């Protein structure tokens, strides 16, 4: 199923319990669609959410509202029924907002172009915590409820878990938790998957280069042993973790980089967006049947045991950001103005 968005999307999100999907666009618009099992879709909302590019979107309040972050440094909550603004926070960050995730039922986290990460209470509409975790844009985040830790990856080549890892030679673009919380998997600009053992974040314990040289722009956990990777060549692939191997390419979105992947609420569809202005929904049953039929493909990397004592060579002076420059070219927000931790303004 394909949905023509009409403009380049930066982000997408599925509703937690209904057949709805939202798309955040470069023009600052927010779209909401209803999709059906019969490969049909209907646009429900088209909202001018921000004055500059809308970079991130998530559903909050049990799916009653959508929350977006923008290059214009604002955060907006929008009602999914009416499309009206519920609350807006101007100057939420000192720099353009790059990433946004759900943390708990009533909290979200945002990351900006200069490495600042913030946690917000959506009910009280206040900033709970703010810390500068990185020296470049916060490319991705994930939350581990068992430990209460927020993890972030950045264009500066580091993984942050309260304390930062050593510098990687390449930008880290995506992060997921796997192996029942024992492994942190990061995708990098040069196509390497970096595996960190939980609690040993200074340096990775393993590297897998089976997707190189294409940057791994987004990761989506399929189960504890497999992750779905979206790469800059437009391919979506299933990768096995420990043993590390490319199990199979699942689909090809386009010739452009995959900006984001996501599962529908019932995991019947895999969603992907790219620079071709299309939001594509892939039938998971069909994809996984093809995956199982080709599951005998030879390993494309060494089968590795968990080894927290790996000594890895790291570059303490990483090269100047490349992917970040490409992604943020013409999108950087002004760094002027103070950061607000006040209540969202009522609309």
């Amino acid at each position: 199923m394909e949905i023509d968005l009409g403009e380049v999307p930066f982000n997408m999100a599925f509703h937690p319990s209904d057949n709805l999907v939202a798309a955040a666009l470069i023009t600052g618009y927010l779209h909401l669609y209803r999709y059906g099992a019969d490969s049909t879709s209907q646009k429900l909302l088209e909202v001018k959410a921000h004055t500059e590019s809308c970079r991130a979107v998530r559903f909050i309040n049990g799916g009653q509202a959508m929350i977006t972050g923008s290059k214009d440094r604002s955060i907006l909550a929008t009602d999914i029924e009416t499309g009206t603004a519920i609350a807006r926070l101007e100057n939420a960050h000192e720099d353009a907002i790059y990433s946004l995730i759900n943390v708990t039922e009533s909290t979200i986290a945002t990351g900006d172009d200069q490495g600042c990460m913030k946690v917000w209470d959506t009910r009280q509409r206040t900033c709970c915590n703010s810390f500068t975790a990185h020296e470049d844009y916060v490319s991705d985040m994930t939350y581990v409820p068992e430990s209460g830790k927020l993890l972030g990856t950045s264009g500066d080549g580091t993984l942050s878990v309260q304390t930062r890892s050593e510098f990687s030679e390449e930008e880290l673009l995506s992060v997921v938790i796997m192996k029942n919380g024992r492994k942190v998997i990061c995708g990098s600009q040069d196509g390497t998957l970096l595996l960190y053992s939980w609690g040993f974040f200074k340096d990775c314990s393993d590297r897998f280069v089976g997707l190189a040289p294409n940057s791994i722009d987004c990761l989506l956990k399929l189960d504890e042993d497999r992750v779905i990777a979206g790469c800059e060549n437009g391919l979506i692939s299933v990768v096995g973790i420990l043993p590390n191997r490319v199990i199979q390419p699942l689909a090809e979105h386009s010739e452009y980089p995959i900006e984001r992947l996501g599962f529908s609420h019932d995991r019947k569809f895999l969603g992907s967006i790219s620079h071709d202005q299309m939001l594509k929904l892939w039938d998971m049953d069909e994809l996984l049947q093809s995956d199982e039929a080709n599951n005998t493909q030879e390993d494309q990397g060494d089968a590795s045991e968990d080894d927290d004592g790996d000594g890895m060579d790291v570059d303490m002076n990483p090269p100047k950001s490349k992917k970040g420059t490409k992604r943020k070219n013409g999108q950087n927000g002004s760094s002027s103005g103070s950061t607000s931790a006040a209540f969202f303004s009522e609309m």
Side-chain angles (χ1 to χ4, degrees):
M1 185 190 316
E2 297 185 355
I3 300 174
D4 188 350
L5 301 172
E7 296 289 346
V8 173
F10 272 119
N11 212 294
M12 56 159 284
F14 283 99
H15 191 276
S17 59
D18 202 353
N19 290 354
L20 300 174
V21 61
L25 306 183
I26 191 173
T27 55
Y29 275 86
L30 172 65
H31 289 186
L32 180 66
Y33 297 87
R34 178 172 293 280
Y35 59 90
D38 56 353
S39 298
T40 61
S41 63
Q42 175 189 5
K43 184 190 290 185
L44 302 180
L45 291 176
E46 182 175 349
V47 178
K48 179 63 174 177
H50 299 278
T51 58
E52 299 187 64
S53 58
C54 187
R55 291 179 167 182
V57 59
R58 290 293 186 274
F59 285 91
I60 58 170
N61 298 343
Q64 298 179 45
M66 298 172 286
I67 195 158
T68 51
S70 171
K71 175 190 169 184
D72 66 15
R73 300 182 288 131
S74 70
I75 299 173
L76 173 69
T78 302
D79 185 276
I80 70 165
E81 296 293 337
T82 64
T84 58
I86 299 172
R88 182 188 296 272
L89 177 61
E90 302 288 354
N91 301 321
H93 281 253
E94 291 186 2
D95 292 276
I97 296 171
Y98 192 89
S99 52
L100 183 156
I101 65 165
N102 299 97
V103 175
T104 67
E105 182 180 345
S106 60
T107 55
I108 62 167
T110 53
D112 69 26
D113 278 357
Q114 295 301 317
C116 178
M117 297 167 64
K118 295 189 176 187
V119 179
W120 305 88
D121 186 319
T122 58
R123 292 176 179 173
Q124 297 297 324
R125 301 174 181 175
T126 56
C127 180
C128 309
N129 200 356
S130 176
F131 45 94
T132 300
H134 298 281
E135 297 174 4
D136 205 336
Y137 72 105
V138 180
S139 56
D140 196 11
M141 296 177 287
T142 190
Y143 177 69
V144 185
E146 292 80 9
S147 63
K149 292 185 182 296
L150 180 67
L151 283 67
T153 53
S154 171
D156 65 11
T158 62
L159 166 71
S160 65
V161 195
Q162 295 182 347
T163 59
R164 285 196 300 177
S165 68
E166 300 289 354
F167 283 106
S168 167
E169 294 181 357
E170 294 292 336
E171 300 177 21
L172 301 186
L173 306 176
S174 46
V175 59
V176 293
I177 309 295
M178 298 183 66
K179 296 292 183 179
N180 298 303
R182 294 186 296 112
K183 290 292 179 180
V184 179
I185 316 299
C186 298
S188 71
Q189 184 194 17
D190 69 353
T192 301
L193 280 176
L194 280 65
L195 282 65
Y196 293 85
S197 295
W198 187 263
F200 298 87
F201 297 113
K202 281 298 181 181
D203 194 12
C204 63
S205 60
D206 200 2
R207 296 171 186 255
F208 175 62
V209 297
L211 296 172
N214 298 292
S215 68
I216 304 169
D217 294 346
C218 49
L219 293 172
L220 181 65
K221 178 179 174 180
L222 180 58
D223 53 37
E224 297 300 333
D225 301 310
R226 296 176 296 172
V227 64
I228 300 175
C231 296
E232 69 172 338
N233 61 357
L235 287 180
I236 303 169
S237 302
V238 175
V239 179
I241 300 297
L242 296 175
N244 302 330
R245 60 178 183 142
V246 176
I247 296 175
Q248 173 193 0
L250 281 182
E252 183 177 6
H253 183 107
S254 69
E255 61 182 343
Y256 302 108
I258 305 294
E259 284 293 324
R260 179 161 176 80
L261 298 169
F263 285 129
S264 61
H265 67 96
D266 52 10
R267 291 176 71 98
K268 289 184 178 179
F269 292 100
L270 169 69
S272 63
I273 55 171
S274 183
H275 298 173
D276 63 349
Q277 304 184 8
M278 304 298 292
L279 191 163
K280 296 187 179 182
L281 303 182
W282 309 88
D283 187 295
M284 281 301 295
D285 288 337
E286 294 180 4
L287 293 180
L288 292 180
Q289 284 174 6
S290 176
D291 174 18
E292 292 171 1
N294 291 274
N295 202 25
T296 58
Q297 179 176 329
E298 293 183 2
D299 291 0
Q300 299 187 24
D302 293 335
S304 305
E305 300 296 331
D306 291 359
D307 181 5
D308 298 328
D310 255 356
M312 306 300 296
D313 294 329
V314 293
D315 184 359
M316 297 305 294
N317 297 296
K320 185 178 180 181
S321 169
K322 297 185 287 294
K323 181 82 173 176
T325 302
K326 179 173 72 174
R327 283 194 168 200
K328 296 188 294 179
N329 185 26
Q331 302 170 28
N332 290 331
S334 169
S335 59
S336 62
S338 60
T339 301
S340 172
F343 286 87
F344 285 75
S345 56
E346 296 283 356
M347 302 302 295

